[in-house]
Amino acid sequence: MNPAIDQARIRREALRWLVLLTLNNARPIGAFEGPILSVAQSEYPDATPIELRRELDYLADRELVRIDKQPSGRWHADLTRFGTDVAEYTITCEPGIARPAKYW
């Protein structure tokens, strides 16, 4: 396996987990992409809005996140029931999200 490809996958999956945790802390109102990007950039300083939108879209396809794409161009995201369950470790997490193993 190409290590560069593997690093990209690791980053994508970790970013998805970070997004879920951020939105879990933003419940019940959710958050606009700006604050989510700020959290993502605390871990990955070079994270871009496009990268964040790509991962939000992935999470929406998996029905973990609801996205409101507003006419102004801003995106607002909120967790679905499944997204909350994944963030709270009440259901199993399928591959594609770097959720750490529960150790407690």
Side-chain angles (χ1 to χ4, degrees):
M1 179 178 285
N2 184 342
I5 293 173
D6 197 47
Q7 288 297 317
R9 181 183 58 84
I10 290 169
R11 179 184 169 116
R12 278 193 315 270
E13 293 180 359
L15 188 56
R16 292 170 189 158
W17 176 240
L18 201 57
V19 168
L20 289 176
L21 289 180
T22 302
L23 291 174
N24 193 37
N25 282 301
R27 285 188 315 149
I29 57 173
F32 282 102
E33 59 188 322
I36 301 170
L37 182 61
S38 294
V39 172
Q41 287 175 335
S42 69
E43 186 71 24
Y44 300 103
D46 59 341
T48 64
I50 297 297
E51 183 180 18
L52 175 64
R53 284 186 173 192
R54 186 174 51 234
E55 301 316 326
L56 280 170
D57 201 47
Y58 173 87
L59 293 170
D61 287 345
R62 288 186 55 175
E63 299 180 359
L64 298 171
V65 169
R66 266 185 306 274
I67 300 173
D68 178 20
K69 299 176 183 177
Q70 300 187 345
S72 64
R74 297 174 71 194
W75 285 20
H76 183 270
D78 195 11
L79 288 181
T80 65
R81 173 179 104 49
F82 296 114
T84 302
D85 287 342
V86 168
E88 293 182 346
Y89 287 85
T90 53
I91 62 174
T92 59
C93 182
E94 295 181 12
I97 299 171
R99 182 176 78 173
K102 187 174 182 179
Y103 60 88
W104 58 95

